[in-house]
Amino acid sequence: MSGKIELLNTTLAAAKAADRAALIAYLPAGFPTVDGGIEAVKAVIAGGADIVEVGLPHSDPVLDGPVIQTADDIALRGGVRIADVMRTVREAYEATGVPILVMTYWNPIDRYGVERFTAELAEAGGAGCILPDLPVQESALWREHAEKHGLATVFVVAPSSQDARLATITAAGSGFVYAASLMGVTGTRASVGAQAQNLVERTRATTDTPVCVGLGVSDAAQAAEVAGFADGVIVGSAFVKAMLDAPDEAAGLAAVRSLAGELAEGVRKR
């Protein structure tokens, strides 16, 4: 079975044709449980998310702030494994038909085996991978297998990335470019800032691949602001916080569905 990179591409193109940005939601696998995590992914899609990133929980994250770290810790203590991540992708995709990517640090893939990981992700109906800590110059093996299995390779660019570096990164990636709106770790912020718009403009000068912005977006107003200059708005910590703050799982699912609805409205009001 081939991966769903084409589904990802057509989903982003459809949002652009509708003159809006895509809403991309992030949730970690195995949080609050494996089954609960699968239901949470379905809930954000039911609320209006166009694309979902499923996080592979990691014990030593470099990009994730305290909210996502807390969720990852819960998932890891619950015994989450790569097989559970693949199950989350499979069941969410089969239930919704929406593009599902995995966001992961490189070490778990390296230990698992690149061929095995890409083959299983494609078989599960995955659309690709976001790899925040894999240097482009060390990514040839990954890209070879990802391409073979029909998976997107999404790299992260940051405000500190020089123009020549941006061109190198965007030439190697596919699906979309993940533009980190500011230097630092994930988390909701009062303002997403002008840095993000400048980064999107500089990135767009190097590629026709959609540029999606993450890190800091937490409400409809911020989603609308970012949707004014980006092809996609990525929201993670706000969804995870909604689950963490809920008194029980049912309330958490209702909260993330509701938040997805508000954010989906936001990306349409740019």
Side-chain angles (χ1 to χ4, degrees), residues 97-137:
V98 162
I100 313 286
L101 299 100
V102 170
M103 186 165 189
T104 178
Y105 297 102
W106 179 244
N107 182 257
I109 294 177
D110 194 35
R111 290 173 61 187
Y112 198 72
V114 176
E115 168 60 22
R116 181 183 176 197
F117 190 95
T118 51
E120 289 184 8
L121 182 56
E123 193 275 328
C129 241
I130 300 147
L131 301 159
D133 67 338
L134 176 63
V136 172
Q137 61 270 26

mmCIF file of all heavy atoms in Angstrom, residues 97-137:
data_model
loop_
_atom_site.group_PDB
_atom_site.id
_atom_site.type_symbol
_atom_site.label_atom_id
_atom_site.label_comp_id
_atom_site.label_asym_id
_atom_site.label_seq_id
_atom_site.Cartn_x
_atom_site.Cartn_y
_atom_site.Cartn_z
ATOM 1 N N GLY A 97 -10.682 9.512 6.536
ATOM 2 C CA GLY A 97 -10.176 9.810 5.206
ATOM 3 C C GLY A 97 -9.344 11.073 5.129
ATOM 4 O O GLY A 97 -9.043 11.573 4.043
ATOM 5 N N VAL A 98 -8.939 11.591 6.282
ATOM 6 C CA VAL A 98 -8.152 12.830 6.359
ATOM 7 C C VAL A 98 -6.655 12.481 6.364
ATOM 8 O O VAL A 98 -6.264 11.443 6.899
ATOM 9 C CB VAL A 98 -8.552 13.609 7.642
ATOM 10 C CG1 VAL A 98 -7.532 14.647 8.034
ATOM 11 C CG2 VAL A 98 -9.919 14.262 7.435
ATOM 12 N N PRO A 99 -5.796 13.333 5.768
ATOM 13 C CA PRO A 99 -4.354 13.048 5.806
ATOM 14 C C PRO A 99 -3.811 13.065 7.243
ATOM 15 O O PRO A 99 -4.029 14.039 7.976
ATOM 16 C CB PRO A 99 -3.714 14.170 4.988
ATOM 17 C CG PRO A 99 -4.817 14.939 4.376
ATOM 18 C CD PRO A 99 -6.088 14.568 5.050
ATOM 19 N N ILE A 100 -3.108 12.010 7.610
ATOM 20 C CA ILE A 100 -2.517 11.890 8.948
ATOM 21 C C ILE A 100 -1.008 11.739 8.787
ATOM 22 O O ILE A 100 -0.538 10.840 8.096
ATOM 23 C CB ILE A 100 -3.056 10.659 9.707
ATOM 24 C CG1 ILE A 100 -4.587 10.552 9.627
ATOM 25 C CG2 ILE A 100 -2.567 10.675 11.153
ATOM 26 C CD1 ILE A 100 -5.364 11.511 10.462
ATOM 27 N N LEU A 101 -0.260 12.624 9.425
ATOM 28 C CA LEU A 101 1.200 12.534 9.430
ATOM 29 C C LEU A 101 1.677 12.146 10.822
ATOM 30 O O LEU A 101 0.949 12.305 11.804
ATOM 31 C CB LEU A 101 1.839 13.865 9.038
ATOM 32 C CG LEU A 101 1.513 14.409 7.651
ATOM 33 C CD1 LEU A 101 0.437 15.479 7.739
ATOM 34 C CD2 LEU A 101 2.757 14.992 6.987
ATOM 35 N N VAL A 102 2.901 11.664 10.903
ATOM 36 C CA VAL A 102 3.543 11.425 12.197
ATOM 37 C C VAL A 102 4.608 12.496 12.399
ATOM 38 O O VAL A 102 5.370 12.799 11.485
ATOM 39 C CB VAL A 102 4.173 10.022 12.258
ATOM 40 C CG1 VAL A 102 5.057 9.868 13.502
ATOM 41 C CG2 VAL A 102 3.077 8.953 12.262
ATOM 42 N N MET A 103 4.619 13.095 13.580
ATOM 43 C CA MET A 103 5.699 14.014 13.941
ATOM 44 C C MET A 103 6.590 13.298 14.939
ATOM 45 O O MET A 103 6.121 12.836 15.986
ATOM 46 C CB MET A 103 5.157 15.296 14.544
ATOM 47 C CG MET A 103 6.246 16.325 14.805
ATOM 48 S SD MET A 103 5.537 17.960 15.100
ATOM 49 C CE MET A 103 7.020 18.970 15.109
ATOM 50 N N THR A 104 7.871 13.171 14.590
ATOM 51 C CA THR A 104 8.759 12.404 15.451
ATOM 52 C C THR A 104 10.196 12.898 15.362
ATOM 53 O O THR A 104 10.629 13.409 14.328
ATOM 54 C CB THR A 104 8.725 10.898 15.073
ATOM 55 O OG1 THR A 104 9.656 10.185 15.911
ATOM 56 C CG2 THR A 104 9.101 10.659 13.622
ATOM 57 N N TYR A 105 10.904 12.722 16.439
ATOM 58 C CA TYR A 105 12.355 12.926 16.417
ATOM 59 C C TYR A 105 12.985 11.739 15.701
ATOM 60 O O TYR A 105 12.362 10.687 15.516
ATOM 61 C CB TYR A 105 12.881 13.097 17.841
ATOM 62 C CG TYR A 105 12.304 14.331 18.493
ATOM 63 C CD1 TYR A 105 11.266 14.229 19.426
ATOM 64 C CD2 TYR A 105 12.760 15.598 18.135
ATOM 65 C CE1 TYR A 105 10.708 15.361 19.989
ATOM 66 C CE2 TYR A 105 12.199 16.739 18.707
ATOM 67 C CZ TYR A 105 11.183 16.617 19.632
ATOM 68 O OH TYR A 105 10.624 17.746 20.168
ATOM 69 N N TRP A 106 14.226 11.933 15.275
ATOM 70 C CA TRP A 106 14.854 10.946 14.408
ATOM 71 C C TRP A 106 15.240 9.658 15.131
ATOM 72 O O TRP A 106 15.143 8.558 14.569
ATOM 73 C CB TRP A 106 16.093 11.558 13.746
ATOM 74 C CG TRP A 106 16.800 10.591 12.853
ATOM 75 C CD1 TRP A 106 18.054 10.087 13.001
ATOM 76 C CD2 TRP A 106 16.271 9.979 11.670
ATOM 77 N NE1 TRP A 106 18.350 9.207 11.982
ATOM 78 C CE2 TRP A 106 17.260 9.118 11.150
ATOM 79 C CE3 TRP A 106 15.051 10.073 11.001
ATOM 80 C CZ2 TRP A 106 17.076 8.363 9.996
ATOM 81 C CZ3 TRP A 106 14.854 9.314 9.851
ATOM 82 C CH2 TRP A 106 15.865 8.481 9.364
ATOM 83 N N ASN A 107 15.668 9.760 16.360
ATOM 84 C CA ASN A 107 16.204 8.592 17.065
ATOM 85 C C ASN A 107 15.278 7.374 17.066
ATOM 86 O O ASN A 107 15.738 6.248 16.782
ATOM 87 C CB ASN A 107 16.604 8.979 18.495
ATOM 88 C CG ASN A 107 17.204 7.826 19.268
ATOM 89 O OD1 ASN A 107 16.543 7.235 20.109
ATOM 90 N ND2 ASN A 107 18.453 7.492 18.977
ATOM 91 N N PRO A 108 13.982 7.527 17.357
ATOM 92 C CA PRO A 108 13.120 6.332 17.335
ATOM 93 C C PRO A 108 13.050 5.662 15.965
ATOM 94 O O PRO A 108 13.013 4.431 15.873
ATOM 95 C CB PRO A 108 11.741 6.883 17.740
ATOM 96 C CG PRO A 108 12.036 8.135 18.498
ATOM 97 C CD PRO A 108 13.253 8.721 17.846
ATOM 98 N N ILE A 109 13.052 6.456 14.882
ATOM 99 C CA ILE A 109 13.025 5.874 13.535
ATOM 100 C C ILE A 109 14.339 5.151 13.253
ATOM 101 O O ILE A 109 14.355 4.039 12.713
ATOM 102 C CB ILE A 109 12.797 6.966 12.471
ATOM 103 C CG1 ILE A 109 11.407 7.578 12.636
ATOM 104 C CG2 ILE A 109 12.962 6.393 11.059
ATOM 105 C CD1 ILE A 109 11.118 8.710 11.667
ATOM 106 N N ASP A 110 15.426 5.776 13.625
ATOM 107 C CA ASP A 110 16.749 5.196 13.396
ATOM 108 C C ASP A 110 16.872 3.847 14.089
ATOM 109 O O ASP A 110 17.383 2.875 13.513
ATOM 110 C CB ASP A 110 17.809 6.177 13.913
ATOM 111 C CG ASP A 110 19.205 5.839 13.427
ATOM 112 O OD1 ASP A 110 19.329 5.364 12.282
ATOM 113 O OD2 ASP A 110 20.170 6.060 14.187
ATOM 114 N N ARG A 111 16.367 3.760 15.305
ATOM 115 C CA ARG A 111 16.436 2.501 16.057
ATOM 116 C C ARG A 111 15.470 1.457 15.493
ATOM 117 O O ARG A 111 15.762 0.251 15.499
ATOM 118 C CB ARG A 111 16.131 2.764 17.528
ATOM 119 C CG ARG A 111 17.247 3.546 18.225
ATOM 120 C CD ARG A 111 16.861 3.953 19.633
ATOM 121 N NE ARG A 111 16.589 2.803 20.493
ATOM 122 C CZ ARG A 111 16.103 2.910 21.722
ATOM 123 N NH1 ARG A 111 15.842 4.106 22.230
ATOM 124 N NH2 ARG A 111 15.885 1.840 22.445
ATOM 125 N N TYR A 112 14.330 1.911 15.028
ATOM 126 C CA TYR A 112 13.287 1.008 14.513
ATOM 127 C C TYR A 112 13.650 0.454 13.139
ATOM 128 O O TYR A 112 13.295 -0.679 12.798
ATOM 129 C CB TYR A 112 11.974 1.790 14.427
ATOM 130 C CG TYR A 112 10.718 0.957 14.327
ATOM 131 C CD1 TYR A 112 10.243 0.233 15.415
ATOM 132 C CD2 TYR A 112 9.972 0.932 13.150
ATOM 133 C CE1 TYR A 112 9.067 -0.499 15.333
ATOM 134 C CE2 TYR A 112 8.796 0.205 13.053
ATOM 135 C CZ TYR A 112 8.348 -0.505 14.149
ATOM 136 O OH TYR A 112 7.187 -1.234 14.067
ATOM 137 N N GLY A 113 14.349 1.290 12.354
ATOM 138 C CA GLY A 113 14.704 0.931 10.979
ATOM 139 C C GLY A 113 13.898 1.764 9.999
ATOM 140 O O GLY A 113 12.664 1.762 10.050
ATOM 141 N N VAL A 114 14.588 2.486 9.129
ATOM 142 C CA VAL A 114 13.918 3.415 8.216
ATOM 143 C C VAL A 114 12.974 2.677 7.268
ATOM 144 O O VAL A 114 11.825 3.092 7.074
ATOM 145 C CB VAL A 114 14.959 4.222 7.403
ATOM 146 C CG1 VAL A 114 14.276 5.110 6.375
ATOM 147 C CG2 VAL A 114 15.821 5.069 8.338
ATOM 148 N N GLU A 115 13.438 1.592 6.676
ATOM 149 C CA GLU A 115 12.588 0.849 5.739
ATOM 150 C C GLU A 115 11.346 0.310 6.439
ATOM 151 O O GLU A 115 10.229 0.413 5.926
ATOM 152 C CB GLU A 115 13.384 -0.283 5.093
ATOM 153 C CG GLU A 115 12.556 -1.296 4.323
ATOM 154 C CD GLU A 115 11.756 -0.698 3.158
ATOM 155 O OE1 GLU A 115 12.123 0.388 2.653
ATOM 156 O OE2 GLU A 115 10.749 -1.320 2.761
ATOM 157 N N ARG A 116 11.541 -0.239 7.620
ATOM 158 C CA ARG A 116 10.413 -0.801 8.370
ATOM 159 C C ARG A 116 9.414 0.295 8.737
ATOM 160 O O ARG A 116 8.197 0.120 8.589
ATOM 161 C CB ARG A 116 10.959 -1.489 9.632
ATOM 162 C CG ARG A 116 9.906 -2.140 10.512
ATOM 163 C CD ARG A 116 10.573 -2.701 11.750
ATOM 164 N NE ARG A 116 9.631 -3.266 12.695
ATOM 165 C CZ ARG A 116 9.918 -3.524 13.968
ATOM 166 N NH1 ARG A 116 11.135 -3.262 14.447
ATOM 167 N NH2 ARG A 116 9.018 -4.040 14.770
ATOM 168 N N PHE A 117 9.918 1.432 9.211
ATOM 169 C CA PHE A 117 9.046 2.519 9.654
ATOM 170 C C PHE A 117 8.237 3.068 8.478
ATOM 171 O O PHE A 117 7.015 3.243 8.577
ATOM 172 C CB PHE A 117 9.874 3.639 10.299
ATOM 173 C CG PHE A 117 9.042 4.686 10.986
ATOM 174 C CD1 PHE A 117 8.785 4.600 12.343
ATOM 175 C CD2 PHE A 117 8.519 5.772 10.280
ATOM 176 C CE1 PHE A 117 8.005 5.571 12.997
ATOM 177 C CE2 PHE A 117 7.752 6.732 10.907
ATOM 178 C CZ PHE A 117 7.500 6.634 12.269
ATOM 179 N N THR A 118 8.906 3.362 7.360
ATOM 180 C CA THR A 118 8.203 3.945 6.217
ATOM 181 C C THR A 118 7.198 2.967 5.626
ATOM 182 O O THR A 118 6.089 3.355 5.256
ATOM 183 C CB THR A 118 9.193 4.409 5.129
ATOM 184 O OG1 THR A 118 10.099 3.353 4.813
ATOM 185 C CG2 THR A 118 9.983 5.626 5.575
ATOM 186 N N ALA A 119 7.567 1.700 5.550
ATOM 187 C CA ALA A 119 6.652 0.692 5.006
ATOM 188 C C ALA A 119 5.404 0.573 5.879
ATOM 189 O O ALA A 119 4.274 0.519 5.373
ATOM 190 C CB ALA A 119 7.356 -0.663 4.901
ATOM 191 N N GLU A 120 5.593 0.556 7.203
ATOM 192 C CA GLU A 120 4.451 0.409 8.110
ATOM 193 C C GLU A 120 3.575 1.661 8.105
ATOM 194 O O GLU A 120 2.346 1.566 8.174
ATOM 195 C CB GLU A 120 4.942 0.092 9.522
ATOM 196 C CG GLU A 120 5.503 -1.312 9.656
ATOM 197 C CD GLU A 120 5.915 -1.658 11.083
ATOM 198 O OE1 GLU A 120 5.628 -0.860 12.006
ATOM 199 O OE2 GLU A 120 6.531 -2.723 11.268
ATOM 200 N N LEU A 121 4.211 2.831 8.020
ATOM 201 C CA LEU A 121 3.434 4.075 8.008
ATOM 202 C C LEU A 121 2.585 4.162 6.735
ATOM 203 O O LEU A 121 1.415 4.549 6.779
ATOM 204 C CB LEU A 121 4.358 5.289 8.125
ATOM 205 C CG LEU A 121 3.674 6.664 8.171
ATOM 206 C CD1 LEU A 121 2.655 6.751 9.301
ATOM 207 C CD2 LEU A 121 4.719 7.775 8.306
ATOM 208 N N ALA A 122 3.168 3.788 5.610
ATOM 209 C CA ALA A 122 2.417 3.789 4.347
ATOM 210 C C ALA A 122 1.272 2.779 4.409
ATOM 211 O O ALA A 122 0.137 3.073 3.996
ATOM 212 C CB ALA A 122 3.343 3.472 3.185
ATOM 213 N N GLU A 123 1.555 1.595 4.950
ATOM 214 C CA GLU A 123 0.539 0.548 5.043
ATOM 215 C C GLU A 123 -0.621 0.980 5.946
ATOM 216 O O GLU A 123 -1.777 0.604 5.726
ATOM 217 C CB GLU A 123 1.187 -0.746 5.566
ATOM 218 C CG GLU A 123 0.321 -1.986 5.427
ATOM 219 C CD GLU A 123 -0.638 -2.165 6.592
ATOM 220 O OE1 GLU A 123 -0.296 -1.775 7.718
ATOM 221 O OE2 GLU A 123 -1.754 -2.685 6.356
ATOM 222 N N ALA A 124 -0.315 1.815 6.933
ATOM 223 C CA ALA A 124 -1.341 2.308 7.855
ATOM 224 C C ALA A 124 -2.173 3.441 7.254
ATOM 225 O O ALA A 124 -3.146 3.885 7.862
ATOM 226 C CB ALA A 124 -0.679 2.789 9.151
ATOM 227 N N GLY A 125 -1.771 3.911 6.069
ATOM 228 C CA GLY A 125 -2.502 5.014 5.448
ATOM 229 C C GLY A 125 -1.951 6.378 5.803
ATOM 230 O O GLY A 125 -2.620 7.396 5.610
ATOM 231 N N GLY A 126 -0.733 6.423 6.326
ATOM 232 C CA GLY A 126 -0.112 7.698 6.687
ATOM 233 C C GLY A 126 0.248 8.521 5.457
ATOM 234 O O GLY A 126 0.486 7.986 4.379
ATOM 235 N N ALA A 127 0.299 9.851 5.660
ATOM 236 C CA ALA A 127 0.609 10.761 4.550
ATOM 237 C C ALA A 127 2.063 11.212 4.560
ATOM 238 O O ALA A 127 2.550 11.754 3.570
ATOM 239 C CB ALA A 127 -0.303 11.985 4.604
ATOM 240 N N GLY A 128 2.760 11.004 5.683
ATOM 241 C CA GLY A 128 4.149 11.435 5.732
ATOM 242 C C GLY A 128 4.634 11.645 7.148
ATOM 243 O O GLY A 128 3.993 11.207 8.111
ATOM 244 N N CYS A 129 5.782 12.314 7.246
ATOM 245 C CA CYS A 129 6.435 12.521 8.536
ATOM 246 C C CYS A 129 6.980 13.934 8.639
ATOM 247 O O CYS A 129 7.494 14.479 7.658
ATOM 248 C CB CYS A 129 7.610 11.544 8.668
ATOM 249 S SG CYS A 129 7.462 10.407 10.029
ATOM 250 N N ILE A 130 6.873 14.503 9.831
ATOM 251 C CA ILE A 130 7.538 15.768 10.158
ATOM 252 C C ILE A 130 8.721 15.405 11.039
ATOM 253 O O ILE A 130 8.560 14.719 12.061
ATOM 254 C CB ILE A 130 6.587 16.721 10.895
ATOM 255 C CG1 ILE A 130 5.378 17.030 10.008
ATOM 256 C CG2 ILE A 130 7.292 18.016 11.287
ATOM 257 C CD1 ILE A 130 4.115 17.230 10.774
ATOM 258 N N LEU A 131 9.906 15.860 10.631
ATOM 259 C CA LEU A 131 11.144 15.428 11.277
ATOM 260 C C LEU A 131 11.925 16.657 11.753
ATOM 261 O O LEU A 131 12.807 17.152 11.057
ATOM 262 C CB LEU A 131 11.973 14.607 10.281
ATOM 263 C CG LEU A 131 11.256 13.354 9.735
ATOM 264 C CD1 LEU A 131 11.879 12.898 8.431
ATOM 265 C CD2 LEU A 131 11.297 12.239 10.774
ATOM 266 N N PRO A 132 11.620 17.157 12.944
ATOM 267 C CA PRO A 132 12.186 18.445 13.369
ATOM 268 C C PRO A 132 13.685 18.445 13.634
ATOM 269 O O PRO A 132 14.310 19.498 13.581
ATOM 270 C CB PRO A 132 11.406 18.780 14.642
ATOM 271 C CG PRO A 132 10.861 17.477 15.125
ATOM 272 C CD PRO A 132 10.630 16.653 13.905
ATOM 273 N N ASP A 133 14.267 17.275 13.910
ATOM 274 C CA ASP A 133 15.696 17.279 14.266
ATOM 275 C C ASP A 133 16.561 16.490 13.283
ATOM 276 O O ASP A 133 17.723 16.212 13.569
ATOM 277 C CB ASP A 133 15.899 16.753 15.692
ATOM 278 C CG ASP A 133 15.563 15.269 15.838
ATOM 279 O OD1 ASP A 133 14.805 14.740 14.997
ATOM 280 O OD2 ASP A 133 16.037 14.635 16.806
ATOM 281 N N LEU A 134 16.010 16.141 12.109
ATOM 282 C CA LEU A 134 16.820 15.437 11.110
ATOM 283 C C LEU A 134 17.444 16.464 10.167
ATOM 284 O O LEU A 134 16.727 17.128 9.414
ATOM 285 C CB LEU A 134 15.962 14.457 10.307
ATOM 286 C CG LEU A 134 16.686 13.725 9.166
ATOM 287 C CD1 LEU A 134 17.810 12.847 9.709
ATOM 288 C CD2 LEU A 134 15.698 12.906 8.331
ATOM 289 N N PRO A 135 18.776 16.634 10.186
ATOM 290 C CA PRO A 135 19.400 17.590 9.266
ATOM 291 C C PRO A 135 19.195 17.152 7.813
ATOM 292 O O PRO A 135 19.291 15.967 7.497
ATOM 293 C CB PRO A 135 20.889 17.529 9.646
ATOM 294 C CG PRO A 135 20.923 16.911 11.013
ATOM 295 C CD PRO A 135 19.755 15.965 11.050
ATOM 296 N N VAL A 136 18.909 18.119 6.962
ATOM 297 C CA VAL A 136 18.665 17.807 5.551
ATOM 298 C C VAL A 136 19.838 17.047 4.944
ATOM 299 O O VAL A 136 19.650 16.087 4.181
ATOM 300 C CB VAL A 136 18.396 19.106 4.760
ATOM 301 C CG1 VAL A 136 18.340 18.831 3.266
ATOM 302 C CG2 VAL A 136 17.090 19.723 5.217
ATOM 303 N N GLN A 137 21.052 17.446 5.304
ATOM 304 C CA GLN A 137 22.234 16.818 4.701
ATOM 305 C C GLN A 137 22.410 15.363 5.152
ATOM 306 O O GLN A 137 23.201 14.632 4.557
ATOM 307 C CB GLN A 137 23.505 17.632 4.998
ATOM 308 C CG GLN A 137 23.858 17.769 6.468
ATOM 309 C CD GLN A 137 23.217 18.992 7.121
ATOM 310 O OE1 GLN A 137 22.175 19.467 6.676
ATOM 311 N NE2 GLN A 137 23.856 19.516 8.172
#
